[in-house]
Amino acid sequence: MGRLFWKFFFFIAIAQITATFGVGVLFWIENLERSNRNSEIDLSPPASFMIRSAAATLQFGGPEALRSLINEGRPHRLQLYAVDEENKDLMGREVSPKLVEEARHLLTTERERRSVELVKATNGHSYLMFIPAPNDEFAPPPGPGGMPGREPRYMKERGPKPLFFPTMPLAVALMASLIFALLLAWYFSHPIRHLKNAFNQAANGNLDLELEPVMSARNDELADLGRDFDAMTAKLRTLMESQRRLLHDVSHELRSPIARLQMAIGLARVQDRDKLELTLERIERESVRMDKLVGELLTLSRLEANVPGSMEEAIAIQPMLGDMINDANFEAETLGKQVESQIACRVQVQGNPELLYRAIENVLRNAIKHTGPATTVQVVAEIDEIGKLLHLSILDRGPGVPEEEMNSIFELFFRSSRTKSNSAGHGLGLSIARRIVEAHQGSIRAANRPDGGLRVDITLPFMADEPARGDTVET
């Protein structure tokens, strides 16, 4: 068992033992008080009535009248004692000193009813009158009338009662406390040992261990922690696989331009001066391509590391789209294509304007690149006032994407089989666009158009209506 198990067990056991002994001591004290409260003097209402009657008889009739009252033969009256200053009973019976002492004590403490009376008789003596508590061993004692009987139990001198400590309840409670403390400590420490083992495995590079099968029967915070661990390891596996794939794809993408650079440099060394200019242009083109690839990789690295820069700026969408579409339309016209737009969306989006501009521009330029000759790329913006969402759609008339590849076009270095042969890109534009849009709490998806071409939809949450400005954008 681990240290946490013993800590749980120790503190729970200490708490249970303390509570058990506390309850036991309270029971013990209560038992002692109850034993002390058990009086050997009859405190019942009939006894009080009998004592008051006897007191009146003694006070007004004298000792002889009281003797006559006691000797009438009624059992309850036969139990009445009248003791003088020398602890001698009026009837000549033996009286336990302990019983007389308790009667004198009750004489000073009894408040609710007078079950003990001290009366001064006409002969000058003071008599303490009381009746012993009922007892199955009580029998009329031998008196002047010669009535047979046994001596009452209260006549016998008894020693103090032994103190009773509830050892058996304490032992049972202590055993139950230890067992439940053991079970509770095991209940908490058992899944923690699984967590410790899983973290050790993850630290050693094994991310395939899952805690869900082991802790599926639980429904507490430790089970939630196990599920969070599984989600963490799954994310780490995805990131590590993505990193390995990225390194492989980057090395593959860089190998070709580097090989062409080396070839061009080798040719430049042996070529004539009239062909040197063409070789230098080739070297420059390859270096620009490598620089673009490295820039895209750096942007992608920032997005993967969740450090996209400041995301607190208010971005006016309509002016940004207007500038972007004007530049894109100028580029499209040189290729015999056209860009049309419907972007009446005077709203603001919170985020990074440079990154968001790049994301939408990547999708737009990708559409211009793949749309057919003499066709039009459409940019449509719609506002969802209820959900506070901006829906931006970019539609082209290109070859589209096979349905089986639709879920992969936003992956790193992916190029569709329909456009791979005539595309000079690296397959990073849409990947970067997806990560930028997601960093702005939005979403992006693609679908083939029924009449041909590809449709890319970007959804972004907007802040509020943009203040009116003097400039307008022609659509």
Side-chain angles (χ1 to χ4, degrees):
M1 300 295 180
R3 291 171 293 176
L4 185 62
F5 171 85
W6 290 114
K7 287 181 180 179
F8 271 115
F9 176 76
F10 175 76
F11 286 108
I12 295 172
I14 289 296
Q16 295 286 351
I17 291 171
T18 303
T20 300
F21 270 96
V23 172
V25 169
L26 289 178
F27 273 110
W28 180 46
I29 295 174
E30 177 66 20
N31 181 70
L32 290 179
E33 291 181 355
R34 189 181 297 111
S35 299
N36 292 332
R37 287 196 301 265
N38 289 337
S39 175
E40 295 184 353
I41 304 297
D42 192 349
L43 306 177
S44 63
S48 300
F49 178 75
M50 184 63 195
I51 290 296
R52 286 196 297 271
S53 300
T57 301
L58 178 62
Q59 185 175 6
F60 297 105
E64 293 299 328
L66 182 59
R67 286 193 185 96
S68 299
L69 180 66
I70 296 175
N71 285 329
E72 284 184 2
R74 297 183 183 180
H76 198 66
R77 292 177 181 175
L78 291 174
Q79 299 173 17
L80 189 147
Y81 289 88
V83 181
D84 59 12
E85 298 90 343
E86 298 179 357
N87 292 344
K88 292 181 179 181
D89 180 43
L90 182 64
M91 305 296 295
R93 296 168 294 185
E94 293 184 7
V95 185
S96 170
K98 182 179 179 182
L99 196 61
V100 176
E101 181 182 355
E102 183 176 354
R104 295 189 185 281
H105 177 71
L106 288 176
L107 188 65
T108 60
T109 59
E110 184 68 22
R111 294 180 181 178
E112 297 181 359
R113 55 181 176 266
R114 304 298 297 180
S115 299
V116 179
E117 291 287 350
L118 181 64
V119 179
K120 188 171 184 179
T122 56
N123 60 2
H125 293 283
S126 296
Y127 291 92
L128 177 66
M129 290 181 291
F130 58 89
I131 299 176
N135 190 277
D136 56 352
E137 296 180 8
F138 219 116
M147 298 182 63
R150 293 180 297 169
E151 183 183 7
R153 181 173 54 141
Y154 298 102
M155 294 301 183
K156 301 177 181 178
E157 187 69 32
R158 295 180 298 175
K161 293 182 180 180
L163 297 181
F164 169 72
F165 193 81
T167 55
M168 184 57 68
L170 279 179
V172 173
L174 180 60
M175 183 61 65
S177 300
L178 292 177
I179 292 175
F180 280 100
L182 184 70
L183 293 176
L184 189 60
W186 177 85
Y187 180 78
F188 281 111
S189 63
H190 182 68
I192 293 176
R193 289 200 303 273
H194 287 295
L195 284 170
K196 178 183 177 182
N197 179 52
F199 277 107
N200 288 335
Q201 294 288 334
N204 293 328
N206 180 18
L207 300 177
D208 297 326
L209 183 63
E210 294 185 356
L211 292 174
E212 177 66 23
V214 180
M215 305 176 66
S216 59
R218 302 177 64 96
N219 188 21
D220 53 15
E221 287 76 5
L222 290 175
D224 295 339
L225 182 60
R227 285 188 284 269
D228 292 341
F229 175 82
D230 290 343
M232 179 191 70
T233 54
K235 182 66 174 178
L236 287 176
R237 284 197 303 270
T238 302
L239 291 176
M240 292 180 67
E241 291 173 0
S242 176
Q243 184 183 29
R244 286 193 292 266
R245 187 171 63 252
L246 178 63
L247 290 175
H248 175 269
D249 293 340
V250 168
S251 62
H252 176 75
E253 292 292 332
L254 289 176
R255 186 180 294 116
S256 296
I258 290 175
R260 289 192 291 268
L261 279 175
Q262 292 174 344
M263 184 181 299
I265 292 173
L267 290 175
R269 289 175 178 174
V270 298
Q271 280 181 338
D272 299 332
R273 287 186 176 272
D274 54 349
K275 297 181 179 180
L276 183 60
E277 187 67 24
L278 295 175
T279 304
L280 292 177
E281 290 179 1
R282 178 77 178 192
I283 293 174
E284 182 181 6
R285 187 164 60 251
E286 295 297 337
S287 63
V288 170
R289 188 177 182 186
M290 290 180 62
D291 180 69
K292 182 180 179 182
L293 174 61
V294 171
E296 290 179 343
L297 290 174
L298 289 175
T299 302
L300 185 64
S301 176
R302 289 173 55 199
L303 294 172
E304 291 283 358
N306 292 323
V307 285
S310 174
M311 301 291 290
E312 304 296 330
E313 297 186 42
I315 308 169
I317 293 296
Q318 185 168 322
M320 183 183 72
L321 289 177
D323 295 340
M324 185 187 306
I325 290 169
N326 287 335
D327 294 340
N329 197 31
F330 178 78
E331 179 182 344
E333 288 177 352
T334 61
L335 301 175
K337 305 174 184 180
Q338 190 176 0
V339 178
E340 294 181 353
S341 62
Q342 298 175 4
I343 54 172
C345 53
R346 305 186 71 83
V347 295
Q348 293 178 327
V349 173
Q350 184 176 3
N352 188 308
E354 179 184 353
L355 290 178
L356 189 59
Y357 186 98
R358 183 167 185 176
I360 300 175
E361 185 187 41
N362 282 347
V363 179
L364 182 57
R365 289 185 179 277
N366 191 68
I368 295 173
K369 183 189 302 182
H370 296 296
T371 194
T375 59
T376 300
V377 173
Q378 295 176 305
V379 181
V380 180
E382 297 178 350
I383 299 298
D384 180 6
E385 292 288 351
I386 298 177
K388 297 296 181 182
L389 295 174
L390 167 67
H391 299 286
L392 181 64
S393 300
I394 300 175
L395 307 90
D396 63 44
R397 290 293 181 181
V401 177
E403 292 296 333
E404 63 272 11
E405 298 179 356
M406 191 62 67
N407 294 328
S408 303
I409 63 173
F410 295 104
E411 299 296 330
L412 293 173
F413 298 104
F414 177 81
R415 283 181 286 182
S416 174
S417 58
R418 294 182 182 176
T419 59
K420 186 182 296 185
S421 58
N422 59 358
S423 175
H426 302 285
L428 291 176
L430 292 180
S431 300
I432 294 175
R434 185 189 72 176
R435 285 162 174 78
I436 293 175
V437 170
E438 290 176 350
H440 287 77
Q441 310 302 318
S443 62
I444 183 171
R445 55 191 177 88
N448 288 317
R449 302 177 66 184
D451 50 350
L454 187 69
R455 175 191 182 109
V456 178
D457 294 316
I458 299 174
T459 302
L460 294 168
F462 63 84
M463 299 168 53
D465 294 340
E466 180 191 359
R469 295 181 182 177
D471 56 341
T472 60
V473 179
E474 299 219 356
T475 62

